[in-house]
Amino acid sequence: MAGNQFQIQELNPFLEWHLHARAASLGVACEQAKRIAKMIGRKTRVLSEDGEVLTEVNP
């Protein structure tokens, strides 16, 4: 599979999901999602290349 297959999205104040970053591995994507959620104080999630939600992180 091509690199950057996992999307890290953030839930903005208008309750819309927006792409924040991409990662090549699930482990890296999950760590980035945790870091981003803590930094911005909002929910983040990781999606597969097919758009399936793999994990959600609460701040």
mmCIF file of all heavy atoms in Angstrom, residues 26-51:
data_model
loop_
_atom_site.group_PDB
_atom_site.id
_atom_site.type_symbol
_atom_site.label_atom_id
_atom_site.label_comp_id
_atom_site.label_asym_id
_atom_site.label_seq_id
_atom_site.Cartn_x
_atom_site.Cartn_y
_atom_site.Cartn_z
ATOM 1 N N LEU A 26 -0.520 2.607 11.349
ATOM 2 C CA LEU A 26 -1.594 2.792 12.321
ATOM 3 C C LEU A 26 -1.041 3.260 13.665
ATOM 4 O O LEU A 26 -1.618 4.131 14.310
ATOM 5 C CB LEU A 26 -2.392 1.498 12.490
ATOM 6 C CG LEU A 26 -3.544 1.534 13.491
ATOM 7 C CD1 LEU A 26 -4.548 2.629 13.138
ATOM 8 C CD2 LEU A 26 -4.232 0.172 13.553
ATOM 9 N N GLY A 27 0.082 2.692 14.085
ATOM 10 C CA GLY A 27 0.682 3.088 15.364
ATOM 11 C C GLY A 27 1.034 4.555 15.408
ATOM 12 O O GLY A 27 0.727 5.263 16.375
ATOM 13 N N VAL A 28 1.663 5.046 14.349
ATOM 14 C CA VAL A 28 2.025 6.468 14.274
ATOM 15 C C VAL A 28 0.771 7.329 14.243
ATOM 16 O O VAL A 28 0.688 8.354 14.912
ATOM 17 C CB VAL A 28 2.927 6.740 13.047
ATOM 18 C CG1 VAL A 28 3.117 8.230 12.818
ATOM 19 C CG2 VAL A 28 4.266 6.049 13.217
ATOM 20 N N ALA A 29 -0.222 6.913 13.483
ATOM 21 C CA ALA A 29 -1.470 7.670 13.384
ATOM 22 C C ALA A 29 -2.158 7.784 14.746
ATOM 23 O O ALA A 29 -2.637 8.855 15.121
ATOM 24 C CB ALA A 29 -2.409 7.016 12.371
ATOM 25 N N CYS A 30 -2.191 6.702 15.500
ATOM 26 C CA CYS A 30 -2.830 6.715 16.823
ATOM 27 C C CYS A 30 -2.082 7.630 17.787
ATOM 28 O O CYS A 30 -2.702 8.372 18.551
ATOM 29 C CB CYS A 30 -2.925 5.303 17.383
ATOM 30 S SG CYS A 30 -4.122 4.264 16.522
ATOM 31 N N GLU A 31 -0.756 7.584 17.746
ATOM 32 C CA GLU A 31 0.039 8.463 18.618
ATOM 33 C C GLU A 31 -0.165 9.926 18.247
ATOM 34 O O GLU A 31 -0.285 10.789 19.118
ATOM 35 C CB GLU A 31 1.520 8.091 18.552
ATOM 36 C CG GLU A 31 1.844 6.801 19.251
ATOM 37 C CD GLU A 31 1.416 6.797 20.719
ATOM 38 O OE1 GLU A 31 1.687 7.786 21.431
ATOM 39 O OE2 GLU A 31 0.803 5.808 21.155
ATOM 40 N N GLN A 32 -0.221 10.221 16.954
ATOM 41 C CA GLN A 32 -0.470 11.595 16.518
ATOM 42 C C GLN A 32 -1.862 12.051 16.942
ATOM 43 O O GLN A 32 -2.042 13.190 17.370
ATOM 44 C CB GLN A 32 -0.320 11.723 15.009
ATOM 45 C CG GLN A 32 1.096 11.680 14.525
ATOM 46 C CD GLN A 32 1.198 11.893 13.026
ATOM 47 O OE1 GLN A 32 0.211 12.092 12.322
ATOM 48 N NE2 GLN A 32 2.418 11.833 12.520
ATOM 49 N N ALA A 33 -2.852 11.168 16.824
ATOM 50 C CA ALA A 33 -4.218 11.514 17.217
ATOM 51 C C ALA A 33 -4.282 11.848 18.703
ATOM 52 O O ALA A 33 -4.939 12.815 19.105
ATOM 53 C CB ALA A 33 -5.175 10.373 16.882
ATOM 54 N N LYS A 34 -3.577 11.082 19.535
ATOM 55 C CA LYS A 34 -3.545 11.356 20.984
ATOM 56 C C LYS A 34 -2.897 12.698 21.269
ATOM 57 O O LYS A 34 -3.394 13.491 22.064
ATOM 58 C CB LYS A 34 -2.774 10.253 21.715
ATOM 59 C CG LYS A 34 -3.492 8.936 21.775
ATOM 60 C CD LYS A 34 -2.606 7.887 22.440
ATOM 61 C CE LYS A 34 -3.160 6.501 22.278
ATOM 62 N NZ LYS A 34 -2.260 5.479 22.827
ATOM 63 N N ARG A 35 -1.768 12.961 20.600
ATOM 64 C CA ARG A 35 -1.037 14.211 20.803
ATOM 65 C C ARG A 35 -1.873 15.413 20.360
ATOM 66 O O ARG A 35 -1.978 16.412 21.066
ATOM 67 C CB ARG A 35 0.281 14.171 20.025
ATOM 68 C CG ARG A 35 1.148 15.394 20.216
ATOM 69 C CD ARG A 35 2.423 15.331 19.389
ATOM 70 N NE ARG A 35 2.189 15.125 17.966
ATOM 71 C CZ ARG A 35 1.811 16.095 17.117
ATOM 72 N NH1 ARG A 35 1.634 17.318 17.546
ATOM 73 N NH2 ARG A 35 1.628 15.820 15.831
ATOM 74 N N ILE A 36 -2.512 15.299 19.217
ATOM 75 C CA ILE A 36 -3.332 16.391 18.686
ATOM 76 C C ILE A 36 -4.531 16.650 19.587
ATOM 77 O O ILE A 36 -4.859 17.795 19.892
ATOM 78 C CB ILE A 36 -3.777 16.079 17.243
ATOM 79 C CG1 ILE A 36 -2.556 16.087 16.315
ATOM 80 C CG2 ILE A 36 -4.828 17.068 16.766
ATOM 81 C CD1 ILE A 36 -2.815 15.450 14.958
ATOM 82 N N ALA A 37 -5.212 15.602 20.029
ATOM 83 C CA ALA A 37 -6.377 15.751 20.903
ATOM 84 C C ALA A 37 -6.004 16.480 22.187
ATOM 85 O O ALA A 37 -6.732 17.369 22.644
ATOM 86 C CB ALA A 37 -6.987 14.393 21.225
ATOM 87 N N LYS A 38 -4.875 16.099 22.751
ATOM 88 C CA LYS A 38 -4.425 16.743 23.982
ATOM 89 C C LYS A 38 -4.062 18.207 23.731
ATOM 90 O O LYS A 38 -4.385 19.087 24.520
ATOM 91 C CB LYS A 38 -3.221 15.984 24.541
ATOM 92 C CG LYS A 38 -2.771 16.463 25.883
ATOM 93 C CD LYS A 38 -1.654 15.590 26.424
ATOM 94 C CE LYS A 38 -1.227 16.065 27.800
ATOM 95 N NZ LYS A 38 -0.156 15.236 28.342
ATOM 96 N N MET A 39 -3.407 18.476 22.604
ATOM 97 C CA MET A 39 -2.951 19.823 22.286
ATOM 98 C C MET A 39 -4.119 20.775 22.018
ATOM 99 O O MET A 39 -4.124 21.898 22.503
ATOM 100 C CB MET A 39 -2.035 19.779 21.057
ATOM 101 C CG MET A 39 -1.436 21.098 20.689
ATOM 102 S SD MET A 39 -0.257 21.090 19.290
ATOM 103 C CE MET A 39 -0.458 19.526 18.519
ATOM 104 N N ILE A 40 -5.124 20.337 21.262
ATOM 105 C CA ILE A 40 -6.212 21.234 20.884
ATOM 106 C C ILE A 40 -7.441 21.107 21.777
ATOM 107 O O ILE A 40 -8.355 21.919 21.690
ATOM 108 C CB ILE A 40 -6.612 21.055 19.404
ATOM 109 C CG1 ILE A 40 -7.197 19.663 19.147
ATOM 110 C CG2 ILE A 40 -5.435 21.359 18.482
ATOM 111 C CD1 ILE A 40 -7.723 19.453 17.733
ATOM 112 N N GLY A 41 -7.478 20.062 22.597
ATOM 113 C CA GLY A 41 -8.592 19.885 23.517
ATOM 114 C C GLY A 41 -9.894 19.463 22.859
ATOM 115 O O GLY A 41 -10.975 19.750 23.366
ATOM 116 N N ARG A 42 -9.764 18.767 21.709
ATOM 117 C CA ARG A 42 -10.960 18.284 21.004
ATOM 118 C C ARG A 42 -10.752 16.834 20.568
ATOM 119 O O ARG A 42 -9.638 16.349 20.477
ATOM 120 C CB ARG A 42 -11.251 19.153 19.781
ATOM 121 C CG ARG A 42 -11.723 20.548 20.145
ATOM 122 C CD ARG A 42 -12.294 21.285 18.955
ATOM 123 N NE ARG A 42 -11.349 21.479 17.876
ATOM 124 C CZ ARG A 42 -10.585 22.545 17.737
ATOM 125 N NH1 ARG A 42 -10.623 23.512 18.627
ATOM 126 N NH2 ARG A 42 -9.774 22.651 16.698
ATOM 127 N N LYS A 43 -11.851 16.176 20.272
ATOM 128 C CA LYS A 43 -11.818 14.774 19.848
ATOM 129 C C LYS A 43 -11.096 14.649 18.511
ATOM 130 O O LYS A 43 -11.224 15.501 17.634
ATOM 131 C CB LYS A 43 -13.241 14.258 19.713
ATOM 132 C CG LYS A 43 -13.338 12.775 19.399
ATOM 133 C CD LYS A 43 -14.765 12.366 19.202
ATOM 134 C CE LYS A 43 -15.307 11.828 20.486
ATOM 135 N NZ LYS A 43 -16.630 11.199 20.312
ATOM 136 N N THR A 44 -10.334 13.580 18.356
ATOM 137 C CA THR A 44 -9.700 13.227 17.090
ATOM 138 C C THR A 44 -10.043 11.779 16.779
ATOM 139 O O THR A 44 -10.521 11.043 17.635
ATOM 140 C CB THR A 44 -8.161 13.386 17.142
ATOM 141 O OG1 THR A 44 -7.640 12.536 18.156
ATOM 142 C CG2 THR A 44 -7.753 14.829 17.406
ATOM 143 N N ARG A 45 -9.783 11.408 15.539
ATOM 144 C CA ARG A 45 -10.017 10.023 15.149
ATOM 145 C C ARG A 45 -9.041 9.640 14.055
ATOM 146 O O ARG A 45 -8.455 10.496 13.390
ATOM 147 C CB ARG A 45 -11.456 9.811 14.695
ATOM 148 C CG ARG A 45 -11.822 10.516 13.397
ATOM 149 C CD ARG A 45 -13.279 10.286 13.076
ATOM 150 N NE ARG A 45 -13.634 10.893 11.785
ATOM 151 C CZ ARG A 45 -14.837 10.843 11.259
ATOM 152 N NH1 ARG A 45 -15.820 10.258 11.927
ATOM 153 N NH2 ARG A 45 -15.069 11.388 10.089
ATOM 154 N N VAL A 46 -8.883 8.327 13.872
ATOM 155 C CA VAL A 46 -8.024 7.781 12.827
ATOM 156 C C VAL A 46 -8.913 6.982 11.883
ATOM 157 O O VAL A 46 -9.691 6.138 12.323
ATOM 158 C CB VAL A 46 -6.914 6.888 13.418
ATOM 159 C CG1 VAL A 46 -6.100 6.239 12.308
ATOM 160 C CG2 VAL A 46 -6.022 7.680 14.357
ATOM 161 N N LEU A 47 -8.758 7.251 10.597
ATOM 162 C CA LEU A 47 -9.507 6.544 9.567
ATOM 163 C C LEU A 47 -8.565 5.720 8.701
ATOM 164 O O LEU A 47 -7.427 6.128 8.443
ATOM 165 C CB LEU A 47 -10.233 7.530 8.651
ATOM 166 C CG LEU A 47 -11.604 8.029 9.087
ATOM 167 C CD1 LEU A 47 -11.514 8.842 10.336
ATOM 168 C CD2 LEU A 47 -12.261 8.811 7.999
ATOM 169 N N SER A 48 -9.075 4.584 8.242
ATOM 170 C CA SER A 48 -8.321 3.753 7.302
ATOM 171 C C SER A 48 -8.405 4.380 5.920
ATOM 172 O O SER A 48 -9.150 5.337 5.684
ATOM 173 C CB SER A 48 -8.909 2.343 7.254
ATOM 174 O OG SER A 48 -10.184 2.377 6.640
ATOM 175 N N GLU A 49 -7.660 3.804 4.996
ATOM 176 C CA GLU A 49 -7.688 4.271 3.608
ATOM 177 C C GLU A 49 -9.099 4.178 3.025
ATOM 178 O O GLU A 49 -9.492 4.981 2.178
ATOM 179 C CB GLU A 49 -6.714 3.432 2.783
ATOM 180 C CG GLU A 49 -6.520 3.922 1.375
ATOM 181 C CD GLU A 49 -5.451 3.135 0.657
ATOM 182 O OE1 GLU A 49 -5.257 1.949 0.948
ATOM 183 O OE2 GLU A 49 -4.819 3.727 -0.233
ATOM 184 N N ASP A 50 -9.885 3.224 3.516
ATOM 185 C CA ASP A 50 -11.256 3.031 3.044
ATOM 186 C C ASP A 50 -12.284 3.903 3.751
ATOM 187 O O ASP A 50 -13.473 3.822 3.467
ATOM 188 C CB ASP A 50 -11.669 1.567 3.206
ATOM 189 C CG ASP A 50 -10.814 0.626 2.381
ATOM 190 O OD1 ASP A 50 -10.345 1.036 1.296
ATOM 191 O OD2 ASP A 50 -10.604 -0.514 2.820
ATOM 192 N N GLY A 51 -11.829 4.729 4.704
ATOM 193 C CA GLY A 51 -12.733 5.618 5.419
ATOM 194 C C GLY A 51 -13.339 5.027 6.684
ATOM 195 O O GLY A 51 -14.206 5.639 7.298
#
